[in-house]
Amino acid sequence: MKLTDNGALASTPTRAYRMEARQEAVESTKERILQAAYDMWLERPYDQVTVDAVAISAGVSRQTVVRHFGSKDGMAMAVVDWQRPHEEAWRAAPSGDVPSAIEKLIDRYETMGDGNVRTLELEGRVPAVTYLLEQARESHRGWVTSTLLPSDAPRRGREREQIILALYAATDVTLWKLLRRDLGQSRPSVEAIIRRMVDSIVAGISTPPRSTR
């Protein structure tokens, strides 16, 4: 054991290694909790997932979950932030590559769509859910603008905003739910319908609708 000039314990390679290993263990535990919570919320409504259930699924104690996140809402907000890079990664598609973009979108809805729709039912009642939906809508709008909006779209103004909102609505999870769940359409059919809607919106840019005034 070594001492510094002022009598404090000097840092040693062994001590540094132990601190690094401890930090890695903490991060691994946190990741396990986030993954367990995320998986459970894909299968169940938000209010049916408890801190105790997440702790059991992650193989940790309730106190460990609370120590990391404070509460269920805190854990849910952390899940949103943790998932954001993954969301951005799956959305990645070359600008203008509409077929690839929509295929990826439908793939995602097939995995997460039901959970997303359940989450909408709690909007305004649970702060974590409100936060989640705000982030999701901002992300979806960004994806629509960067991936589906063609280069010849208006640069600004009301017309541009209406085009963006039309593309947003045509690719929103609620439309997937209507077609896939309520109307019983197959996955390929849903993809084809949404692709047709997007293509029609884009084609209409060169022939803007007549004013109703």
Side-chain angles (χ1 to χ4, degrees), residues 140 144 148-150 162-171 198 201-202:
H140 190 67
V144 164
L148 303 183
L149 192 68
Q162 287 183 346
I163 293 168
I164 291 173
L165 292 178
L167 290 169
Y168 189 114
T171 54
V198 169
I201 294 166
V202 170

Side-chain angles (χ1 to χ4, degrees), residues 58-134:
V60 299
S61 67
R62 174 189 174 86
Q63 288 73 19
T64 298
V65 176
V66 172
R67 185 168 65 248
H68 277 290
F69 304 108
S71 65
K72 187 170 86 168
D73 275 4
M75 180 172 61
M77 291 181 182
V79 168
V80 174
D81 293 334
W82 173 68
Q83 269 295 301
R84 187 175 293 113
H86 303 283
E87 291 292 317
E88 292 172 354
W90 80 256
R91 288 178 184 272
S95 179
D97 186 357
V98 174
S100 176
I102 292 178
E103 181 181 7
K104 287 183 177 182
L105 179 77
I106 301 306
D107 284 343
R108 195 64 172 171
Y109 286 163
E110 290 292 310
T111 301
M112 300 181 59
D114 293 321
N116 290 348
V117 171
R118 284 196 300 268
T119 300
L120 287 169
E121 298 171 357
L122 295 174
E123 185 170 14
R125 290 190 284 152
V126 179
V129 168
T130 300
Y131 175 73
L132 183 157
L133 292 175
E134 288 172 352

